[in-house]
Amino acid sequence: MTRSIRSAVVAFGLVASLAPPAASAATVSDLAVSLASERGSAPVGDEVGLEASVTNLGPDEAAGAIVTFQLPPGAIPDAAPGCSLTPVIRCELASLAPGATAVVGARVSLTLADPLTLEAVVDAAGDDPVAANDRATATVRGTGRDCDAVGTRAADDLRGRGVVCGLGGHDLLLGGRRKDVLLGGSGHDALAGGKGRDRIDGGADVDACARETAGERPRECERRVFAMAGRLPLAEPTRAVVGYGYHQSLFRTAIGLRALEPRVVMRSRGRGTGSTTAVDVVVPPRGRIASPVTGTVVGVTRYRLYCQDLDWKVVIEPRSHPDLRVLVLHMARPSVSEGAEVEAGVTRIGRAQVNDEPSAQENLYFADRYPHVHIEVERNRASPTPGCAA
């Protein structure tokens, strides 16, 4: 009898161990989302901030909640801290206790001049008994003209007619022959108008522009581009430029420059290179010189110009074109060292040397024997020196 009871207990235990565990009760959380935009309308090319608020109305804690922003054509995701941006803005939230609220922010760029309806949707792992409050919308109207060419969040090179929108990233925007609108958006942009009367708006951050806007514009460009070396913009090294004198470089690795500001092309020196492969930027005495490009200083060298007069050479690797080298010569007091990061038109790299040569070629074209700095751009990472070691 004892043996049979023991066998029954063992059998019962085996059966019990083989039975599936009882299912845990599903959590129930009523999540409600609201959506607000920082403004009801904005010019095409501008960014607009969005804010989605998610509240857990209970009764249980909500785990694994996700907020997605559904954007219509004409609204491009630009930024959302802590979220993924592709293919939609998707934000994962921490667990929400009953009664708690989480706020998620995002920024989008407008590319169409239309009313745009933006939507935020919330979802979680548990049961949500009220589906009606899982979605919310906000409407923003784009004003102006639709973008004809649209960039990305990365650094873009855009050339176009009509309205050219760079959006995010450090962009290069070039206008055409007609009356174009160049909108840089966020990032340190370089904008160069074409032959038409263009409107140039750099947008947020510090930008460089080749010419002033025809008429009013909402934001000033902090820097001006005076020339292009292929696709590389060169920012003016000072706001007090007296003039630009283009001439032949000594070196065949120098790239021809395309002037965007009034200039003179000085007479040939018989060097066998292009007539605009180097430029002398004439500045007032003791003028402070800023870097013409954004990048890294890869060389600061003292040498003897034509193996005679002491001079300084600063070599910069452009961040956007690491295969090129920008040479700045005739510096009196370099204020940067190798490895320094420089910003175009902003970071001071030194002062121009005093012009004490009555026979200097610049004196034939510019009055008062003002000093100048020499700028050229070399391909293939070349950084030749026009002279001997000091």
Side-chain angles (χ1 to χ4, degrees):
M1 181 68 178
T2 303
R3 180 179 301 174
S4 63
I5 293 175
R6 184 178 299 162
S7 299
V9 171
V10 171
F12 176 79
L14 179 62
V15 173
S17 65
L18 293 177
S24 59
T27 59
V28 178
S29 305
D30 179 14
L31 296 181
V33 64
S34 62
L35 180 64
S37 64
E38 64 182 3
R39 45 185 168 162
S41 64
V44 165
D46 270 18
E47 291 181 5
V48 174
L50 303 175
E51 190 173 271
S53 299
V54 178
T55 301
N56 182 3
L57 302 179
D60 299 327
E61 181 180 85
I66 296 173
V67 176
T68 57
F69 292 84
Q70 308 288 345
L71 305 181
I76 307 296
D78 189 70
C83 307
S84 63
L85 299 183
T86 53
V88 297
I89 301 177
R90 184 178 186 274
C91 308
E92 297 182 5
L93 305 180
S95 296
L96 274 180
T101 298
V103 178
V104 177
R107 301 192 69 79
V108 299
S109 296
L110 307 184
T111 61
L112 295 179
D114 290 317
L116 304 175
T117 300
L118 317 171
E119 185 176 39
V121 180
V122 65
D123 190 16
D127 292 335
D128 190 332
V130 182
N133 56 10
D134 294 345
R135 296 175 176 270
T137 60
T139 300
V140 179
R141 176 182 291 275
T143 61
R145 294 163 52 191
D146 293 352
C147 294
D148 297 299
V150 180
T152 65
R153 295 188 304 275
D156 300 302
D157 288 356
L158 297 174
R159 180 191 296 271
R161 299 176 180 176
V163 182
V164 182
C165 301
L167 306 186
H170 307 322
D171 304 314
L172 168 62
L173 276 62
L174 302 176
R177 295 179 177 272
R178 300 179 180 178
K179 187 176 179 180
D180 303 312
V181 179
L182 307 182
L183 306 175
S186 61
H188 302 302
D189 307 308
L191 304 93
K195 295 185 177 181
R197 290 176 57 83
D198 304 315
R199 184 169 76 84
I200 298 175
D201 181 358
D205 301 314
V206 179
D207 305 299
C209 299
R211 62 175 59 181
E212 297 293 340
T213 298
E216 242 181 83
R217 68 177 171 189
R219 300 185 182 92
E220 283 294 322
C221 283
E222 297 294 331
R223 309 186 307 253
R224 290 171 60 85
V225 176
F226 74 89
M228 301 291 297
R231 306 289 289 176
L232 176 67
L234 299 178
E236 61 181 5
T238 174
R239 289 185 178 274
V241 172
V242 175
Y244 297 96
Y246 289 80
H247 62 86
Q248 294 174 306
S249 169
L250 272 174
F251 310 109
R252 296 188 179 277
T253 50
I255 296 175
L257 306 177
R258 180 163 64 91
L260 299 174
E261 293 291 326
R263 78 284 185 188
V264 297
V265 178
M266 296 187 283
R267 65 189 182 190
S268 171
R269 297 183 179 184
R271 294 173 172 174
T273 56
S275 61
T276 61
T277 48
V279 59
D280 290 341
V281 184
V282 182
V283 299
R286 299 182 59 80
R288 293 178 175 178
I289 303 302
S291 173
V293 294
T294 295
T296 304
V297 176
V298 295
V300 179
T301 307
R302 198 178 192 197
Y303 71 103
R304 288 192 176 275
L305 179 64
Y306 307 136
C307 297
Q308 296 177 2
D309 301 322
L310 286 174
D311 191 15
W312 284 94
K313 176 182 74 171
V314 177
V315 183
I316 304 168
E317 177 184 293
R319 184 181 303 163
S320 60
H321 295 74
D323 58 319
L324 303 181
R325 294 293 183 266
V326 178
L327 276 56
V328 185
L329 310 179
H330 310 337
M331 304 290 294
R333 299 178 184 176
S335 56
V336 291
S337 57
E338 188 171 337
E341 297 294 323
V342 293
E343 193 73 36
V346 177
T347 307
R348 292 173 180 171
I349 60 174
R351 292 181 182 273
Q353 278 197 14
V354 175
N355 181 0
D356 55 4
E357 296 183 41
S359 61
Q361 188 177 22
E362 291 72 25
N363 297 335
L364 299 175
Y365 302 92
F366 303 100
D368 299 323
R369 290 176 56 183
Y370 279 171
H372 71 275
V373 291
H374 172 112
I375 298 175
E376 60 184 84
V377 180
E378 308 290 333
R379 60 174 63 87
N380 302 327
R381 297 182 172 86
S383 57
T385 299
C388 308

